[in-house]
Amino acid sequence: MRKNFETRYPGRVLIRKDKKFERLFLEAGKKNVELMKKAAGRAKAMDYFYEFFTSMKRVKEMRSFDGKVIGYFCNFVPEEIIYACGALPLRLCSGFYDSVLPAEELLPRDICPLIKSSFGFKILGLPYFDLCDAVIIPTSCDGKKKLGEVLSDYLPVYVLELPNSKDGEQSSKFWLSEIKSLRSWIEGLTGVKAGKSELREAIELLHERTAVFRRLYELRKCKKPVISGRDSLLVVQASFYDDVKRWIGRTSKLCDELEEKTRKNKGICPADTARLLLTGSPVIWPNWKVLNIVEGSGGVIVIDELCSGVQHLYNPVEVDEFTEEGMLRAIAERYLLPSVCPCFLRSDDRIDRLLELGKKFAVDGVVYHSLRLCQLYDMESTKVKRVLDEEGIPMLKIHTDYSLEDVEPIRTRVEAFLEMIKVGRVKG
Ligand code: SF4
Ligand code: SF4
């Protein structure tokens, strides 16, 4: 196998640059966009986001950025600190199917596709991973812990240690010290000190992003949905890579258009369409499989509880005191307390969050996405289902990976689930 590899870097591990994969990545995105564009009544402002994911414009733009680019995984890495150090953050979790197999040349087969796909980006020299000068990876699951070690053969890696529990003073103290060490590490990498004014500026910038995201979030509550789950998730995931100010501008424009649609009562589907909540393992571009099946079968995802969706942008850093210590404390809290990642010892707050979202967004059912070999979400699904059953909310668990082989059996189950919701409504 390895004899095909062209580039040796930095001596121990091999990187294969292959333009074919870049093309396949764009093609996978274009197929999704074709489906999304077919949706009746979609907002014109979405065209920016469709283009964003089907062209290399942003990659080219970032190549000319002369500061450091820092990649990260999961939802625990404070972007505020990266910006405060004059660097650009990029979230590297990947949903690309074709990079899974090449990664298996170096990683075991039996780990989740998200980890293999993301690592595949590194060994194939694909953007955005190839733009990164360093990577931050939290110890959120076993696969991530070990991925940090594997990646350190390629580039500088900071393994961000998470506490096992979010509760208690010991966890808070430990986490705050981790955040401070991370700041020192990034400062060392960039040569820029993230002091009081830099931190404040970064916090305020991301407050603007949260504010516009919350406008979009509120618009998803409309009785007649004005935006699909696919479009909403695409907007969130554009924020993983886009220039923040431009993203804020484009998302504001989208919200203006959606508000206009709401005023005119012009939705993307009839008001009696089954309203669904999507939860579970992260759904990441271009792995739109479950979204395409659900929304292509006549349901609409009105809200998600994904770390790659709403959870990524919803919470602002809430600062009591704009001192350096006060801001670092507020940043630490923001990236720990609201997280409902199943890597923590207890999952009660995730279940409470699901019930709360279910009520707020008037959902008819829950779609639970369980990525193959992601034990955390797989194991939690039984408890989540039990609680939802008690509340009379139907749940469909989809256990799958990034391949397209199981599309038809999943479609059949989704159609039956939507039919059951419809019948339940008539009886109700
Ligand atoms: S669910 Fe948790 S561990 Fe998995 S990718 Fe999201 S933040 Fe990371
Ligand atoms: S999907 Fe599951 S196994 Fe994969 S990285 Fe996230 S938490 Fe870990």
Side-chain angles (χ1 to χ4, degrees):
M1 283 288 193
R2 292 192 176 191
K3 68 179 186 299
N4 295 331
F5 285 19
E6 287 164 5
T7 317
R8 185 174 278 271
Y9 174 86
R12 270 171 67 199
V13 208
L14 302 156
I15 293 186
R16 170 176 62 197
K17 284 252 180 207
D18 192 336
K19 280 276 173 197
K20 181 182 90 181
F21 287 92
E22 198 171 291
R23 212 183 51 242
L24 285 171
F25 181 64
L26 289 178
E27 274 168 17
K30 281 178 189 160
K31 278 187 197 146
N32 287 332
V33 164
E34 264 169 40
L35 292 173
M36 288 152 82
K37 279 187 169 171
K38 276 187 194 155
R42 68 171 183 88
K44 288 273 170 290
M46 279 308 300
D47 286 346
Y48 170 75
F49 299 97
Y50 296 155
E51 212 218 327
F52 186 88
F53 278 101
T54 51
S55 81
M56 298 297 278
K57 272 192 193 163
R58 177 62 176 155
V59 176
K60 284 187 190 139
E61 188 179 80
M62 287 194 73
R63 288 206 198 286
S64 56
F65 176 67
D66 53 13
K68 297 283 185 204
V69 176
I70 303 183
Y72 68 92
F73 288 87
C74 290
N75 248 353
F76 300 102
V77 176
E79 290 182 304
E80 287 80 357
I81 295 183
I82 301 178
Y83 281 119
C85 289
L88 283 183
L90 282 181
R91 183 160 171 184
L92 295 172
C93 303
S94 160
F96 180 41
Y97 171 63
D98 291 284
S99 60
V100 168
L101 209 62
E104 287 178 359
E105 292 172 21
L106 287 160
L107 295 181
R109 278 190 67 199
D110 289 344
I111 47 175
C112 92
L114 188 153
I115 291 178
K116 287 187 285 188
S117 171
S118 311
F119 180 65
F121 266 66
K122 182 65 205 164
I123 58 168
L124 295 169
L126 289 172
Y128 291 89
F129 212 143
D130 70 330
L131 300 170
C132 295
D133 298 289
V135 168
I136 303 167
I137 183 159
T139 55
S140 47
C141 66
D142 287 351
K144 289 269 170 65
K145 277 180 199 160
K146 288 292 133 186
L147 181 63
E149 203 176 351
V150 176
L151 282 171
S152 62
D153 278 347
Y154 296 80
L155 73 176
V157 173
Y158 187 96
V159 177
L160 184 66
E161 275 194 66
L162 288 173
N164 280 322
S165 161
K166 296 187 293 179
D167 312 322
E169 217 185 310
Q170 225 179 340
S171 297
S172 310
K173 269 192 187 159
F174 169 77
W175 179 240
L176 180 59
S177 74
E178 258 308 89
I179 293 296
K180 287 179 178 172
S181 307
L182 176 68
R183 177 179 69 156
S184 308
W185 185 79
I186 302 174
E187 286 175 341
L189 189 85
T190 57
V192 177
K193 185 157 167 28
K196 204 167 124 184
S197 59
E198 292 81 8
L199 284 169
R200 184 167 187 158
E201 201 182 310
I203 288 172
E204 286 174 352
L205 174 66
L206 296 193
H207 275 173
E208 278 181 52
R209 187 176 73 175
T210 297
V212 71
F213 170 74
R214 286 197 177 192
R215 262 181 85 193
L216 179 63
Y217 171 92
E218 290 299 321
L219 281 158
R220 296 179 74 188
K221 290 181 183 162
C222 295
K223 200 157 183 263
K224 207 175 203 183
V226 286
I227 183 163
S228 66
R230 283 180 280 194
D231 280 357
S232 310
L233 202 63
L234 194 76
V235 173
V236 172
Q237 296 191 9
S239 76
F240 295 178
Y241 318 102
D242 204 358
D243 170 78
V244 190
K245 289 205 167 139
R246 185 170 51 210
W247 185 91
I248 291 170
R250 290 295 181 163
T251 308
S252 299
K253 254 188 161 176
L254 172 66
C255 290
D256 293 343
E257 194 180 336
L258 296 178
E259 276 165 9
E260 184 64 19
K261 280 182 185 294
T262 311
R263 268 193 295 278
K264 293 184 175 160
N265 197 26
K266 281 189 174 168
I268 52 158
C269 53
D272 62 353
T273 303
R275 300 170 68 88
L276 303 165
L277 186 163
L278 177 64
T279 184
S281 310
V283 173
I284 317 246
W285 183 261
N287 173 36
W288 253 215
K289 177 164 77 176
V290 169
L291 296 162
N292 285 337
I293 296 174
V294 171
E295 297 198 323
S297 302
V300 60
I301 292 160
V302 288
I303 191 64
D304 71 73
E305 179 277 313
L306 299 173
C307 75
S308 56
V310 168
Q311 279 189 58
H312 185 74
L313 295 177
Y314 188 77
N315 295 97
V317 170
E318 292 182 46
V319 186
D320 290 332
E321 261 181 36
F322 279 96
T323 57
E324 207 170 298
E325 180 68 17
M327 284 186 278
L328 286 171
R329 193 174 294 280
I331 287 173
E333 281 173 5
R334 149 66 175 88
Y335 284 89
L336 185 69
L337 300 181
S339 170
V340 287
C341 174
C343 66
F344 297 110
L345 293 176
R346 299 186 62 84
S347 53
D348 304 358
D349 54 355
R350 188 161 102 80
I351 292 175
D352 290 346
R353 178 82 53 85
L354 288 174
L355 295 176
E356 185 195 326
L357 289 174
K359 271 201 191 102
K360 280 189 180 161
F361 288 79
V363 307
D364 301 300
V366 169
V367 175
Y368 194 106
H369 175 240
S370 164
L371 267 183
R372 237 169 237 150
L373 299 160
C374 172
Q375 291 158 342
L376 293 174
Y377 279 106
D378 204 5
M379 288 189 74
E380 257 195 30
S381 65
T382 315
K383 187 171 174 190
V384 172
K385 170 125 179 50
R386 193 176 61 232
V387 176
L388 291 176
D389 279 350
E390 281 163 15
E391 295 292 322
I393 304 169
M395 175 182 123
L396 176 71
K397 178 178 172 183
I398 300 175
H399 193 57
T400 185
D401 56 19
Y402 288 179
S403 81
L404 294 177
E405 281 165 15
D406 54 358
V407 164
E408 288 315 316
I410 295 175
R411 197 189 313 282
T412 306
R413 292 182 59 226
V414 167
E415 285 169 358
F417 184 66
L418 295 175
E419 188 56 32
M420 187 193 78
I421 289 175
K422 209 163 129 191
V423 171
R425 273 180 173 170
V426 173
K427 281 190 186 157

